Amino acid sequence: MGLTLKVNPYQPDDRIIKKAAKIVNEGGVIAFPTETFYGLAALAFDTKAIKRLFLLKKRPFSSPIAILIKDKHTLIEITKEIPEEAEKLIERFWPGPLTIVFSARENIPDLLTSGKGKIGMRISASKIAQSLVQNVGFPITATSANISGDADPIEVNQIASTLGTGIDLILDGGRATLNKASTILDVTTKPFKVLREGAIRKKEIFSCLDTE
């Protein structure tokens, strides 16, 4: 199994996060905690690393992978359009467990979008996840640290028993706090469409938009 390092979820050790970021920037795959569950981080625009991640998870290449970004300004570099109403949701729910699906720019790897031309992204409320993205300097993948179809892991021992030998590093930040997946909302359609109801309820989203 790859190296496991304990990290304070409230005050992450910068030396540990920099070590993890270096691994990601060099094409590695690491496991890290978010507020929802543990995810797998690979450099979002490194097609070789993304392919490795798909194979590690035994994930169908037809299933796109969401990413974490460091701030909302990064959206301009990745998306074709940011609908005005989506900006209300960003202000209300980011950082937090809302993954918003946008139309992706042409420079985004097809492996990441599964050729669908759309990409889901969010800013995590986890201090470890935020620090990791900041230190990597680029968006990272946020897919769950499991074999596709298995339960989303909320503790490190769930990862070690399934993916441990294929991961370069595991950041142990303790138990994930929410124990619920992020809600996924597609804003490329009119009206917006909830693809998965998770930690944020559908009614909260549409209440924010003042629509039924």
Side-chain angles (χ1 to χ4, degrees), residues 108-148:
I108 305 303
D110 282 345
L111 263 179
L112 203 61
T113 67
S114 296
K116 294 178 172 66
K118 298 181 181 184
I119 187 163
M121 65 190 89
R122 72 184 181 97
I123 299 175
S124 174
S126 159
K127 291 189 180 300
I128 293 175
Q130 287 181 5
S131 183
L132 181 61
V133 179
Q134 292 285 346
N135 277 274
V136 170
F138 297 94
I140 60 174
T141 59
T143 184
S144 56
N146 61 357
I147 300 296
S148 287

Side-chain angles (χ1 to χ4, degrees), residues 1 12 29 43 55 59 89 96 110 123 129 132 151 159-160 181 189 211:
M1 186 179 76
V29 176
L43 200 59
L55 296 175
R59 183 180 179 90
L89 299 172
D110 282 345
I123 299 175
L132 181 61
I159 306 166
T189 65
T211 61

Side-chain angles (χ1 to χ4, degrees), residues 43-113:
L43 200 59
F45 306 137
D46 183 337
T47 53
K48 185 176 179 180
I50 297 170
K51 184 175 181 181
R52 177 186 167 193
L53 188 151
F54 269 102
L55 296 175
L56 179 65
K57 282 176 58 69
K58 300 179 182 178
R59 183 180 179 90
F61 286 102
S62 58
S63 298
I65 288 180
I67 62 175
L68 296 183
I69 58 176
K70 63 180 181 178
D71 55 45
K72 64 182 182 180
H73 303 294
T74 307
L75 290 171
I76 300 170
E77 304 167 9
I78 299 173
T79 65
K80 288 182 178 178
E81 178 188 11
I82 305 170
E84 185 177 345
E85 287 189 310
E87 293 183 2
K88 295 181 184 178
L89 299 172
I90 290 168
E91 291 300 320
R92 170 67 178 81
F93 296 109
W94 283 7
L98 177 64
T99 298
I100 304 179
V101 178
F102 297 92
S103 294
R105 288 187 178 272
E106 288 78 3
N107 62 330
I108 305 303
D110 282 345
L111 263 179
L112 203 61
T113 67

